[in-house]
C-alpha cells in the first residue's frame, strides 16, 4: 500500500484492523496538524493502537524517526503490520507500559493516544523527553482524562496549552442521506518552554 498524496488523511479501511480502536481519519488529520510536523523530526507515539497515527507521522517525516509503543500485544502487532503495509523504514515499534518502557531519548514531538491509567507519569516523562520548543499532542475521550491532562500540563509548566472538542458526523445513504455522529474527541496540544 502506498499513500500517493502529500496530505494526511488515509481512510480507515486502508489499515489492518482488529479489536483495537483506530483513530478516525478526520480526528487524525486534526491531531497531525496540531503536531506541526516537518520532514526531519524525531517523534514518539505513546499508545499507538493500530498504528494509523504512527504511519501518518512517518509519511510526513521521511527523514526523521518515529518510535511507537503500546502495552497491548494486538496493538503492537497491528502497528507493525501497518508499518510494513505502507513500506515504512523510519519506524521502530516497541512493546511495554508507559512510562517504564519508553526510551530515554529526546523527541521533537510526542503524541499521546493512550495512557489514561498513568497520565501523571506520562506527562512527567513528556516534559523530560521533549526538546525545548517541542510539541505534545494528546487525544482524549473521557472528560475526566481531558481535565486531568490540562491540569497536569499547567502544573508541569507547559506553554501555549490548547484544547479543542471534535464532533464529526459522516453522511450515510439509507432511504435518504443522514449524518451519523462519531464519538466526540478532545485534542490537546502544548509546547515545552525553551
Amino acid at each position: 500500500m502506498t499513500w500517493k498524496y502529500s496530505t494526511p488523511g488515509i481512510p480507515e479501511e486502508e489499515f489492518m484492523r482488529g479489536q483495537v480502536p483506530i483513530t478516525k481519519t478526520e480526528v487524525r488529520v486534526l491531531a497531525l496538524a496540531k503536531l506541526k510536523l516537518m520532514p526531519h523530526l524525531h517523534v514518539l507515539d505513546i499508545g499507538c493502537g493500530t498504528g494509523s497515527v504512527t504511519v501518518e507521522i512517518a509519511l510526513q517525516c521521511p527523514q526523521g524517526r518515529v518510535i511507537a509503543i503500546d502495552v497491548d500485544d494486538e496493538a503492537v502487532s497491528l502497528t507493525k503490520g501497518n508499518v510494513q503495509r505502507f513500506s515504512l523504514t523510519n519506524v521502530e515499534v516497541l512493546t511495554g507500559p508507559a512510562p517504564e518502557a519508553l526510551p530515554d531519548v529526546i523527541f521533537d514531538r510526542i503524541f499521546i493516544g493512550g495512557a489514561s491509567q498513568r497520565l501523571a507519569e506520562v506527562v512527567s516523562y513528556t516534559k523530560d523527553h521533549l526538546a525545548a520548543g517541542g510539541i505534545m499532542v494528546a487525544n482524549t475521550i473521557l472528560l475526566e482524562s481531558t481535565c486531568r491532562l490540562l491540569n497536569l500540563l499547567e502544573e508541569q509548566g507547559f506553554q501555549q496549552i490548547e484544547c479543542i472538542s471534535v464532533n464529526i458526523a459522516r453522511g450515510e445513504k439509507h432511504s435518504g442521506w443522514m449524518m451519523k455522529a462519531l464519538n466526540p474527541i478532545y485534542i490537546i496540544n502544548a509546547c515545552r518552554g525553551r
Side-chain angles (χ1 to χ4, degrees):
M1 171 69 199
T2 58
W3 181 246
K4 62 183 179 180
Y5 305 101
S6 61
T7 57
I10 301 170
E12 290 138 54
E13 57 269 14
E14 298 297 332
F15 291 98
M16 293 171 51
R17 303 277 302 274
Q19 298 303 310
V20 178
I22 188 169
T23 303
K24 301 296 187 270
T25 302
E26 298 85 356
V27 172
R28 196 177 334 118
V29 168
L30 291 170
L32 291 165
K34 295 291 185 180
L35 280 168
K36 298 180 181 171
L37 298 170
M38 294 180 280
H40 64 281
L41 297 181
H42 192 78
V43 185
L44 175 64
D45 181 0
I46 301 173
C48 57
T50 61
S52 64
V53 173
T54 299
V55 166
E56 297 250 30
I57 291 171
L59 289 169
Q60 297 292 316
C61 302
Q63 290 93 46
R65 188 91 181 126
V66 183
I67 296 178
I69 186 167
D70 206 295
V71 70
D72 183 86
D73 290 334
E74 182 186 9
V76 169
S77 178
L78 285 168
T79 298
K80 286 179 178 179
N82 282 316
V83 165
Q84 185 177 16
R85 183 179 180 110
F86 285 85
S87 304
L88 298 167
T89 58
N90 60 337
V91 178
E92 179 182 358
V93 184
L94 306 175
T95 305
E100 293 87 356
L102 297 174
D104 189 18
V105 296
I106 302 298
F107 295 93
D108 302 298
R109 304 287 188 269
I110 296 178
F111 177 77
I112 303 171
S116 61
Q117 301 302 316
R118 304 290 301 279
L119 204 49
E121 294 94 334
V122 170
V123 170
S124 181
Y125 169 91
T126 299
K127 181 184 176 193
D128 294 340
H129 293 84
L130 191 59
I135 298 170
M136 68 78 52
V137 173
N139 287 355
T140 60
I141 298 170
L142 301 175
L143 289 169
E144 292 84 359
S145 298
T146 305
C147 291
R148 187 153 182 255
L149 179 55
L150 289 167
N151 289 330
L152 287 166
L153 291 171
E154 286 182 328
E155 290 169 12
Q156 291 283 337
F158 280 85
Q159 300 174 356
Q160 301 172 29
I161 301 169
E162 297 177 344
C163 178
I164 62 171
S165 174
V166 179
N167 296 281
I168 303 289
R170 291 180 177 164
E172 290 185 3
K173 186 158 185 176
H174 297 283
S175 58
W177 282 95
M178 65 175 278
M179 298 305 290
K180 186 171 181 183
L182 303 176
N183 289 333
I185 302 288
Y186 301 93
I187 302 176
I188 298 167
N189 62 286
C191 292
R192 179 164 180 242
R194 295 191 178 273

